[in-house]
Amino acid sequence: MKKVLAVFLIAFISAAGPAFAQKVDLTEFPAFVRVGFDTSFLKRKDSFMLFIPEQQEINWRLSIDSSNIQQVSGAETRVWLRLPARRGNRPIIIRDLALPGMPEKNLFPVLKGKKEQFCILIPFTVPPELFKSRTGIALFLPAIGQNWQVYLNGILIKNEVAYDFLDLPRNAERALHGAVINVNPRILNPEGQNIFAFMVEGDPLDARLGLSAKASYLLDTYETLFPLHIQYVSLAFIGVYLFFAAYHFVLFLLRPKNKSYLMFSIGSALLALHLFCKTYLAYDIIQDTKIIRGFELATMIAIVPAFLAFFDTAVHGRASIFTKVFSIVSLVPLILQFFFWREAFQLIWTLIAFIPALFVLFKDVAVPFRGAWRHYRRLMKEKGQVFKTVRKSLSRLEPSRILLGLVVVGATVSLNILNLLAGTGESVLQYGFMLLVFGTATVLAGQFARVYTDIETVHEVLEKKVTKRTEDLESSLKDQESLNARLSETASRYQAVSETATIDMQVAVQVQQGFFPKLSPKTEQWEAAFVLLPASGISGDFFDFYLSDDGKKMNGLVVGDVSGHGIASGLVTVLARSIFYRNFHEHKKSNLGNVMEAINTELIKELASVDNYLTAALLRLDDDGRVEYTSAAHTEICYKGADKPRAVELKPRGVDHYKGLPMGRAAFESPYKSIRFKLNRGDFVLIYTDGMSEGRNVDHEEFGLRGVLDAMSTAPTEDVRGALNFIMQEWRFHTSGTRMTDDVTAVLLRRR
């Protein structure tokens, strides 16, 4: 047996070795840069003369045909600048290098400089395993510009000099991001040294001239590098922003008087366009990359006025004079950046973009707080009442104004960080923008809630008026005709309001259902079926399945129940589902109880301004049948073994308090425990919300845990969907003749 394992291990290492050793990172090799470029010397065998800055008195000759470095002297040498290796973080930005004849850097450049050519050489060696690739070899360049060519061992393999091969004017540029270049393996030297030569042409003061990315420049198999070109996360964020933009634009069409919907739609669309200009896909679609750069800066400038206008229309109902003036001022750098040096206007915008954020905080937070402070300080004559005065002053402010003020400030700070970091940390910024959009949408959801409250108030008032006018009708037949006319007019207004509310509810239901899984997952080891029955429109329940990227493995699932009903609870389900998803994948190696604590900490921060809390059951699955499970005050999960006649409640023996408290409230914060068990083939586990067990019949008797276990015990075991349909049929039979009072969600999991 030991010999068999040893042979298997050797075979595995032999097969997997090339996969782990084939990548070549060009930042792990020294680079050499000089002014000017001449293709003639690429064809000579004596090749390149390199000047080593660390040894000022020595000139060197680097040979293409040999990996040796030979010393030479005299007039034959050419001056090169040597850049040491720095793995994963060696940007080569021409304007930052001490090259001869370079123009002096200007802190505030306005006019663009004359184009020049530069040469970048990177000698490297290739591991033999790389030649075993069946999909070919490719070179991945995270960033290169402005116009450029790539030579491998003296042979041109990529030409992106715009006026040489594209139907573009001579002043066009091809500063690409995420370029994937096919490499002919026959050009590579598998045993000796190879050389990549990059010709870059452009303005020496442009930050994009050179290999400007703070990332690895890779030579690897095509199948490995091509996925780097497809930025799935960025495209997903763009899709979400476009969805929010379209959704709120539809709301604006339904309610044209509410301009905040339009402003939010414009802001979300600008966010989507701004992020699209940063994706590799944009560089594939638009050939002249100056256009991409222009739109990237233009959208960055326009986002702040858009969200500032949203703030004014949401809080005050109309745009302020400051917003109008600032929007007009923003048009100046937005237009001029297409004709002058963009970095100048980017610097100007970085300095002035904080002004609207400070204005919002001063006008709608600081000034009202100051007035409230003076009012309560006069009322509280006793000393030592500072904290009480502050608390009362804050309680007098409108929460929507404070929240929207922070939203505008957050958007401004994020955009300026993006300007200053020049492309670094953009993945974090995407999540910040996502929180910005969800936070702003929550404020609009609050407006929905107020609309429904007003509708209920109007409904009560109308009922009282109908009753009173009916009594007047009985006492005075003379006023019957005029009274009927008034009642008809009132009923028409009420019907119009009700129809508008129904349309809004239908849109909200469609939005929420779009976030939940549509199909039941099925892998080689696991199979699941689910059912979601909202009590009325928006559901306060949520669920999700955590699959691998290729969809072939099921790693876990969650079922949760948010307190309350209506749109507010529905929005919390969307937020909670996103937080569960992200933390589950970010903490793959952590104990599931610790994962739940991390989720609860984030939920407490997000739900601090609302009264909702939630319960949840979180499961982590392994292919060998092991299951890790933690619960936050959720209903018990039920287990039915393949060879067992009865389903039972699943909980650890001898442990009564293994569940944690509800999530999302600081008062409930507590540690969470996880338990582990193993499922055999054919075993079932049912996870459900309390709407199922608390369902009552006409005699007010609950379906209860016993009803769930009885239905699960007698359910067919041929397939998971048939078993869940049987359980829900038993539940519907029990609750027939009654009205649903709570949402019902059930997920049935079986190991195959």
Side-chain angles (χ1 to χ4, degrees):
M1 185 65 181
K2 293 182 178 179
K3 292 182 178 180
V4 174
L5 292 176
V7 171
F8 175 78
L9 182 61
I10 293 173
F12 174 78
I13 295 175
S14 300
F20 294 105
Q22 64 186 7
K23 179 175 66 176
V24 176
D25 188 347
L26 297 183
T27 60
E28 297 180 358
F29 300 91
F32 304 88
V33 187
R34 76 170 177 88
V35 179
F37 184 85
D38 187 358
T39 57
S40 62
F41 74 86
L42 296 177
K43 302 177 182 179
R44 299 200 306 267
K45 291 185 178 181
D46 56 353
S47 297
F48 312 108
M49 308 297 186
L50 304 181
F51 176 69
I52 310 301
E54 290 82 351
Q55 305 180 38
Q56 298 291 334
E57 302 300 330
I58 303 176
N59 291 325
W60 300 83
R61 169 173 293 174
L62 177 64
S63 172
I64 287 182
D65 301 332
S66 172
S67 60
N68 298 324
I69 299 179
Q70 305 170 349
Q71 181 179 352
V72 300
S73 61
E76 299 178 357
T77 62
R78 296 179 179 176
V79 177
W80 294 78
L81 178 63
R82 181 182 186 276
L83 303 179
R86 189 177 180 184
R87 182 178 181 183
N89 186 11
R90 188 192 56 193
I92 303 177
I93 303 175
I94 298 299
R95 74 175 185 180
D96 295 338
L97 303 179
L99 294 172
M102 287 288 292
E104 183 178 355
K105 293 179 63 175
N106 189 351
L107 180 62
F108 190 73
V110 176
L111 298 178
K112 300 179 180 180
K114 182 180 179 182
K115 288 185 178 181
E116 295 186 36
Q117 291 185 345
F118 299 86
C119 182
I120 302 173
L121 301 179
I122 302 179
F124 66 98
T125 57
V126 181
E129 294 82 0
L130 187 60
F131 292 88
K132 300 179 182 180
S133 171
R134 297 182 179 178
T135 60
I137 302 174
L139 174 66
F140 178 72
L141 304 176
I144 183 171
Q146 297 165 300
N147 294 322
W148 50 277
Q149 295 173 332
V150 181
Y151 295 82
L152 175 57
N153 292 338
I155 298 176
L156 178 65
I157 64 173
K158 189 65 175 179
N159 185 0
E160 287 287 347
V161 179
Y163 51 82
D164 280 351
F165 81 110
L166 295 175
D167 187 17
L168 293 174
R170 187 174 181 84
N171 61 350
E173 66 177 31
R174 291 288 288 167
L176 298 189
H177 289 185
V180 178
I181 303 172
N182 288 322
V183 175
N184 189 344
R186 297 179 180 178
I187 305 177
L188 288 169
N189 181 9
E191 298 179 354
Q193 183 166 272
N194 298 271
I195 293 181
F196 270 122
F198 300 90
M199 188 285 291
V200 293
E201 179 188 58
D203 190 339
L205 294 181
D206 196 312
R208 296 169 296 160
L209 185 61
L211 308 177
S212 58
K214 296 180 180 180
S216 295
Y217 287 73
L218 302 176
L219 183 69
D220 204 342
T221 62
Y222 186 83
E223 63 179 349
T224 302
L225 295 181
F226 184 74
L228 300 179
H229 188 74
I230 309 300
Q231 298 168 297
Y232 296 103
V233 175
S234 297
L235 296 179
F237 278 116
I238 292 171
V240 171
Y241 297 147
L242 290 176
F243 171 79
F244 272 98
Y247 168 66
H248 286 89
F249 184 72
V250 171
L251 291 181
F252 168 72
L253 295 178
L254 296 174
R255 293 173 173 267
K257 292 183 179 180
N258 195 335
K259 297 296 190 299
S260 61
Y261 291 143
L262 178 61
M263 295 299 103
F264 184 78
S265 176
I266 294 174
S268 299
L270 288 172
L271 275 176
L273 181 57
H274 182 75
L275 290 180
F276 174 75
C277 291
K278 293 180 172 295
T279 61
Y280 301 155
L281 180 61
Y283 293 87
D284 293 338
I285 297 175
I286 302 175
Q287 290 184 330
D288 191 351
T289 55
K290 285 194 304 185
I291 300 175
I292 301 175
R293 178 65 173 166
F295 275 103
E296 180 182 343
L297 184 56
T299 52
M300 181 190 68
I301 294 174
I303 286 173
V304 173
F307 276 99
L308 185 62
F310 163 74
F311 176 81
D312 281 343
T313 53
V315 176
H316 306 289
R318 58 186 178 87
S320 63
I321 297 178
F322 175 84
T323 300
K324 296 177 181 178
V325 173
F326 186 81
S327 300
I328 295 174
V329 172
S330 301
L331 293 176
V332 177
L334 190 149
I335 296 174
L336 294 182
Q337 58 99 10
F338 285 97
F339 303 97
F340 296 94
W341 190 263
R342 290 191 176 95
E343 289 191 6
F345 296 102
Q346 186 171 349
L347 178 60
I348 294 174
W349 186 253
T350 302
L351 297 176
I352 69 173
F354 287 100
I355 296 177
L358 297 176
F359 172 78
V360 168
L361 288 178
F362 176 78
K363 175 185 176 183
D364 293 287
V365 178
V367 172
F369 178 79
R370 181 184 179 187
W373 168 267
R374 290 181 175 179
H375 172 73
Y376 286 110
R377 191 175 60 178
R378 288 194 300 266
L379 295 179
M380 300 179 181
K381 299 181 180 180
E382 300 181 6
K383 297 182 179 180
Q385 299 288 323
V386 177
F387 292 106
K388 189 174 182 180
T389 304
V390 171
R391 179 175 57 81
K392 286 185 171 292
S393 300
L394 290 175
S395 64
R396 194 170 181 178
L397 299 180
E398 294 184 18
S400 61
R401 292 193 178 190
I402 297 176
L403 177 60
L404 282 174
L406 296 176
V407 164
V408 174
V409 173
T412 305
V413 172
S414 299
L415 288 171
N416 282 275
I417 289 176
L418 176 62
N419 295 344
L420 297 175
L421 296 182
T424 60
E426 292 183 13
S427 61
V428 177
L429 187 65
Q430 290 175 346
Y431 292 103
F433 279 154
M434 177 61 72
L435 294 178
L436 164 66
V437 172
F438 272 111
T440 313
T442 303
V443 176
L444 295 178
Q447 294 182 351
F448 271 114
R450 287 193 293 272
V451 168
Y452 283 115
T453 302
D454 294 341
I455 291 175
E456 292 178 353
T457 303
V458 171
H459 180 71
E460 294 178 359
V461 171
L462 288 175
E463 286 184 346
K464 293 179 180 179
K465 287 184 178 181
V466 170
T467 302
K468 181 178 181 302
R469 289 172 183 175
T470 301
E471 294 174 354
D472 293 341
L473 181 62
E474 294 176 352
S475 61
S476 179
L477 297 177
K478 295 181 181 181
D479 298 332
Q480 181 177 3
E481 183 176 356
S482 61
L483 184 58
N484 287 338
R486 293 180 182 179
L487 288 174
S488 177
E489 180 182 357
T490 302
S492 298
R493 290 199 302 267
Y494 173 71
Q495 183 179 2
V497 173
S498 299
E499 290 175 354
T500 302
T502 301
I503 294 174
D504 291 346
M505 177 62 75
Q506 291 174 351
V507 173
V509 170
Q510 294 175 359
V511 170
Q512 186 194 41
Q513 292 179 352
F515 283 96
F516 292 144
K518 300 294 186 301
L519 300 175
S520 300
K522 183 177 182 181
T523 65
E524 293 182 359
Q525 301 296 333
W526 301 97
E527 183 181 12
F530 64 85
V531 63
L532 173 64
L533 301 176
S536 58
I538 295 293
S539 173
D541 291 352
F542 68 95
F543 67 98
D544 199 3
F545 300 102
Y546 305 134
L547 305 177
S548 60
D549 293 339
D550 56 5
K552 294 182 178 180
K553 293 181 61 178
M554 189 188 306
N555 299 322
L557 62 92
V558 65
V559 175
D561 186 1
V562 178
S563 64
H565 300 282
I567 294 180
S569 298
L571 285 173
V572 174
T573 63
V574 176
L575 175 64
R577 179 177 176 270
S578 175
I579 293 175
F580 269 91
Y581 179 90
R582 175 162 44 79
N583 281 275
F584 183 88
H585 287 88
E586 287 180 356
H587 304 284
K588 293 181 179 179
K589 298 182 180 180
S590 299
N591 178 278
L592 206 56
N594 296 335
V595 176
M596 191 72 95
E597 291 176 12
I599 295 171
N600 188 35
T601 300
E602 190 169 346
L603 284 172
I604 290 174
K605 294 179 182 179
E606 296 296 334
L607 303 181
S609 59
V610 299
D611 295 328
N612 300 89
Y613 61 89
L614 58 93
T615 66
L618 182 62
L619 284 76
R620 178 183 288 159
L621 310 176
D622 289 333
D623 286 344
D624 59 0
R626 289 180 296 173
V627 180
E628 185 179 2
Y629 159 60
T630 184
S631 173
H634 202 69
T635 56
E636 304 291 351
I637 65 177
C638 300
Y639 164 79
K640 170 69 167 59
D643 55 349
K644 305 293 183 181
R646 287 284 302 173
V648 296
E649 175 185 0
L650 186 61
K651 62 180 181 179
R653 297 178 180 176
V655 179
D656 294 328
H657 304 288
Y658 72 96
K659 291 185 180 181
L661 295 177
M663 309 176 73
R665 309 305 300 170
F668 296 160
E669 192 172 5
S670 69
Y672 292 91
K673 300 178 182 178
S674 66
I675 62 174
R676 292 176 173 84
F677 56 90
K678 185 173 183 180
L679 296 181
N680 298 318
R681 297 187 183 276
D683 290 355
F684 287 86
V685 171
L686 177 65
I687 310 99
Y688 59 93
T689 57
D690 57 5
M692 184 174 183
S693 58
E694 294 177 0
R696 298 178 181 271
N697 59 14
V698 293
D699 296 326
H700 303 286
E701 297 173 342
E702 288 188 351
F703 188 60
L705 176 61
R706 179 176 295 278
V708 175
L709 294 176
D710 290 341
M712 189 175 179
S713 299
T714 56
T717 59
E718 287 77 14
D719 68 292
V720 67
R721 170 50 63 185
L724 183 59
N725 289 341
F726 181 87
I727 295 172
M728 296 309 300
Q729 181 179 353
E730 292 294 303
W731 178 82
R732 289 188 179 92
F733 179 79
H734 178 84
T735 59
S736 61
T738 61
R739 184 176 64 88
M740 284 184 63
T741 59
D742 197 3
D743 307 317
V744 175
T745 300
V747 175
L748 186 61
L749 177 70
R750 185 182 74 165
R751 187 186 173 197
R752 301 182 67 194

Coordinates of all heavy atoms in Angstrom, one line a residue, residues 175-177 231 234-235 238 269-284 286 289-300 426:
A175 N -2.7 53.6 -25.5 CA -2.2 53.3 -24.2 C -3.1 52.3 -23.6 O -4.2 52.6 -23.0 CB -2.2 54.6 -23.3
L176 N -2.7 51.0 -23.7 CA -3.6 49.9 -23.4 C -3.5 49.4 -21.9 O -2.4 49.6 -21.3 CB -3.4 48.7 -24.3 CG -3.7 49.0 -25.8 CD1 -3.6 47.7 -26.6 CD2 -5.0 49.6 -26.0
H177 N -4.5 48.8 -21.4 CA -4.5 48.1 -20.1 C -4.9 46.7 -20.4 O -5.8 46.4 -21.1 CB -5.4 48.8 -19.1 CG -5.0 50.1 -18.6 ND1 -5.6 50.8 -17.7 CD2 -3.9 50.9 -19.0 CE1 -5.0 52.0 -17.4 NE2 -4.0 52.0 -18.3
Q231 N -12.4 41.0 -16.6 CA -12.5 41.5 -15.2 C -14.0 41.3 -14.7 O -14.8 42.2 -14.8 CB -12.2 43.0 -15.1 CG -10.7 43.2 -15.5 CD -10.4 44.7 -15.7 OE1 -10.9 45.3 -16.6 NE2 -9.6 45.2 -14.8
S234 N -15.4 43.7 -11.9 CA -15.7 45.0 -12.3 C -17.0 45.1 -13.2 O -17.8 45.9 -13.1 CB -14.5 45.6 -13.1 OG -13.4 45.7 -12.3
L235 N -17.1 44.1 -14.1 CA -18.3 44.0 -15.0 C -19.5 43.8 -14.2 O -20.6 44.3 -14.5 CB -18.1 43.0 -16.0 CG -16.9 43.2 -17.0 CD1 -16.8 42.0 -18.0 CD2 -17.1 44.5 -17.8
I238 N -20.5 47.1 -12.6 CA -21.0 48.0 -13.7 C -22.5 47.6 -13.9 O -23.4 48.4 -14.1 CB -20.2 47.9 -14.9 CG1 -18.8 48.5 -14.7 CG2 -20.9 48.6 -16.1 CD1 -17.8 48.3 -15.8
A269 N -25.5 56.0 -13.4 CA -25.0 55.8 -14.7 C -23.6 56.3 -14.9 O -22.8 55.7 -15.6 CB -26.0 56.4 -15.7
L270 N -23.3 57.4 -14.3 CA -22.0 58.0 -14.4 C -21.0 57.1 -13.7 O -19.8 56.9 -14.2 CB -21.9 59.4 -13.8 CG -22.6 60.5 -14.6 CD1 -22.7 61.8 -13.8 CD2 -21.9 60.7 -15.9
L271 N -21.4 56.5 -12.6 CA -20.5 55.5 -11.9 C -20.2 54.3 -12.8 O -19.0 53.9 -12.9 CB -21.1 55.1 -10.6 CG -20.9 55.9 -9.3 CD1 -21.7 55.4 -8.2 CD2 -19.5 56.0 -9.0
A272 N -21.2 53.8 -13.4 CA -21.0 52.7 -14.3 C -20.1 53.0 -15.5 O -19.2 52.3 -15.8 CB -22.4 52.2 -14.9
L273 N -20.3 54.2 -16.1 CA -19.5 54.6 -17.2 C -18.0 54.9 -16.8 O -17.1 54.5 -17.5 CB -20.0 55.9 -17.9 CG -19.3 56.4 -19.1 CD1 -19.2 55.4 -20.2 CD2 -20.0 57.7 -19.6
H274 N -17.9 55.4 -15.6 CA -16.5 55.7 -15.0 C -15.8 54.4 -14.8 O -14.6 54.2 -15.2 CB -16.6 56.5 -13.7 CG -15.3 56.8 -13.1 ND1 -14.5 57.8 -13.6 CD2 -14.6 56.3 -12.1 CE1 -13.4 57.9 -12.9 NE2 -13.4 57.0 -12.0
L275 N -16.4 53.4 -14.2 CA -15.8 52.1 -14.0 C -15.5 51.4 -15.3 O -14.5 50.7 -15.5 CB -16.6 51.2 -13.1 CG -16.7 51.7 -11.6 CD1 -17.5 50.8 -10.8 CD2 -15.3 51.8 -11.0
F276 N -16.4 51.5 -16.3 CA -16.2 50.9 -17.6 C -15.0 51.4 -18.3 O -14.3 50.7 -18.9 CB -17.5 51.1 -18.5 CG -17.3 50.6 -19.9 CD1 -17.3 49.3 -20.1 CD2 -17.0 51.5 -20.9 CE1 -17.2 48.8 -21.4 CE2 -16.9 51.0 -22.2 CZ -16.9 49.7 -22.5
C277 N -14.7 52.7 -18.1 CA -13.5 53.3 -18.7 C -12.2 52.8 -18.1 O -11.2 52.9 -18.7 CB -13.6 54.9 -18.6 SG -14.8 55.7 -19.6
K278 N -12.3 52.1 -16.9 CA -11.2 51.6 -16.3 C -11.0 50.1 -16.6 O -10.0 49.5 -16.1 CB -11.3 51.8 -14.8 CG -11.2 53.2 -14.4 CD -11.2 53.3 -12.8 CE -11.0 54.8 -12.4 NZ -9.6 55.2 -12.7
T279 N -12.0 49.5 -17.3 CA -11.9 48.1 -17.6 C -11.1 47.8 -18.9 O -10.9 48.7 -19.7 CB -13.3 47.5 -17.8 OG1 -13.9 48.1 -18.9 CG2 -14.1 47.7 -16.5
Y280 N -10.5 46.6 -19.0 CA -9.8 46.2 -20.2 C -10.8 46.2 -21.4 O -10.3 46.4 -22.5 CB -9.2 44.9 -20.0 CG -8.2 44.8 -18.8 CD1 -7.9 43.6 -18.2 CD2 -7.5 45.9 -18.4 CE1 -7.0 43.5 -17.2 CE2 -6.7 45.9 -17.3 CZ -6.4 44.7 -16.7 OH -5.5 44.6 -15.7
L281 N -12.0 45.9 -21.1 CA -13.0 45.8 -22.2 C -13.1 47.1 -23.0 O -13.3 47.1 -24.2 CB -14.4 45.4 -21.7 CG -15.5 45.2 -22.7 CD1 -15.1 44.1 -23.7 CD2 -16.8 44.9 -22.0
A282 N -13.0 48.2 -22.3 CA -13.1 49.5 -22.9 C -12.0 49.7 -24.0 O -12.2 50.3 -25.0 CB -13.1 50.6 -21.9
Y283 N -10.8 49.2 -23.6 CA -9.7 49.4 -24.5 C -9.8 48.4 -25.7 O -9.2 48.7 -26.8 CB -8.4 49.1 -23.8 CG -8.1 50.2 -22.7 CD1 -8.6 50.1 -21.4 CD2 -7.3 51.3 -23.1 CE1 -8.3 51.0 -20.5 CE2 -7.1 52.3 -22.1 CZ -7.6 52.2 -20.8 OH -7.3 53.1 -19.9
D284 N -10.6 47.4 -25.6 CA -10.8 46.5 -26.7 C -11.8 47.1 -27.7 O -11.7 46.9 -28.9 CB -11.3 45.1 -26.2 CG -10.3 44.4 -25.5 OD1 -9.1 44.6 -25.7 OD2 -10.7 43.5 -24.7
I286 N -12.8 50.6 -28.0 CA -12.4 51.9 -28.5 C -10.9 51.9 -28.8 O -10.1 51.7 -28.0 CB -12.7 53.0 -27.4 CG1 -14.2 53.0 -27.1 CG2 -12.3 54.4 -28.0 CD1 -14.6 53.9 -26.0
T289 N -7.3 55.5 -27.4 CA -7.5 55.5 -26.0 C -7.5 56.9 -25.4 O -7.8 57.0 -24.2 CB -6.3 54.7 -25.4 OG1 -5.0 55.2 -25.8 CG2 -6.4 53.2 -25.8
K290 N -7.2 57.9 -26.1 CA -7.4 59.3 -25.6 C -8.9 59.5 -25.3 O -9.3 60.2 -24.4 CB -7.0 60.3 -26.6 CG -5.4 60.4 -26.7 CD -5.0 61.7 -27.5 CE -5.7 61.7 -28.8 NZ -5.2 62.9 -29.6
I291 N -9.8 58.9 -26.1 CA -11.2 59.0 -25.9 C -11.6 58.4 -24.5 O -12.4 59.0 -23.7 CB -12.0 58.4 -27.0 CG1 -11.7 59.1 -28.3 CG2 -13.5 58.4 -26.7 CD1 -12.3 58.4 -29.5
I292 N -11.0 57.2 -24.2 CA -11.3 56.5 -23.0 C -10.9 57.4 -21.8 O -11.6 57.6 -20.8 CB -10.7 55.2 -22.9 CG1 -11.1 54.3 -24.1 CG2 -10.9 54.5 -21.6 CD1 -10.4 53.0 -24.2
R293 N -9.6 57.9 -21.9 CA -9.1 58.7 -20.8 C -9.9 60.0 -20.6 O -10.1 60.4 -19.5 CB -7.6 59.1 -21.2 CG -6.9 60.0 -20.2 CD -6.7 59.4 -18.9 NE -5.9 60.2 -18.0 CZ -5.8 60.0 -16.7 NH1 -6.4 59.0 -16.1 NH2 -5.0 60.8 -16.0
G294 N -10.4 60.6 -21.7 CA -11.2 61.8 -21.6 C -12.5 61.5 -20.9 O -12.9 62.2 -20.0
F295 N -13.2 60.4 -21.3 CA -14.5 60.1 -20.6 C -14.2 59.7 -19.2 O -15.1 59.9 -18.3 CB -15.2 59.0 -21.4 CG -16.0 59.5 -22.5 CD1 -15.5 59.3 -23.8 CD2 -17.2 60.1 -22.3 CE1 -16.3 59.8 -24.9 CE2 -18.0 60.5 -23.4 CZ -17.5 60.4 -24.7
E296 N -13.1 59.0 -18.9 CA -12.8 58.6 -17.5 C -12.8 59.9 -16.6 O -13.3 59.9 -15.5 CB -11.5 57.9 -17.5 CG -11.1 57.4 -16.1 CD -9.8 56.7 -16.0 OE1 -9.3 56.2 -17.1 OE2 -9.2 56.6 -15.0
L297 N -12.0 60.9 -17.0 CA -11.9 62.1 -16.2 C -13.2 62.9 -16.2 O -13.6 63.5 -15.2 CB -10.8 63.0 -16.8 CG -10.5 64.2 -16.0 CD1 -10.2 63.9 -14.5 CD2 -9.3 65.0 -16.6
A298 N -13.9 62.9 -17.4 CA -15.2 63.6 -17.5 C -16.2 63.1 -16.5 O -16.9 63.8 -15.8 CB -15.7 63.6 -18.9
T299 N -16.4 61.7 -16.5 CA -17.3 61.1 -15.6 C -16.9 61.3 -14.1 O -17.8 61.5 -13.3 CB -17.5 59.6 -15.9 OG1 -16.2 59.0 -15.9 CG2 -18.1 59.4 -17.2
M300 N -15.6 61.3 -13.9 CA -15.2 61.6 -12.5 C -15.6 62.9 -12.0 O -16.0 63.2 -10.9 CB -13.6 61.4 -12.4 CG -13.1 61.6 -11.0 SD -11.3 61.6 -11.1 CE -11.0 63.2 -12.0
E426 N -8.3 50.2 -6.6 CA -9.6 50.4 -7.3 C -10.6 49.3 -6.9 O -11.8 49.5 -6.9 CB -9.4 50.5 -8.8 CG -8.7 51.7 -9.2 CD -8.5 51.8 -10.7 OE1 -9.2 51.1 -11.4 OE2 -7.8 52.6 -11.2

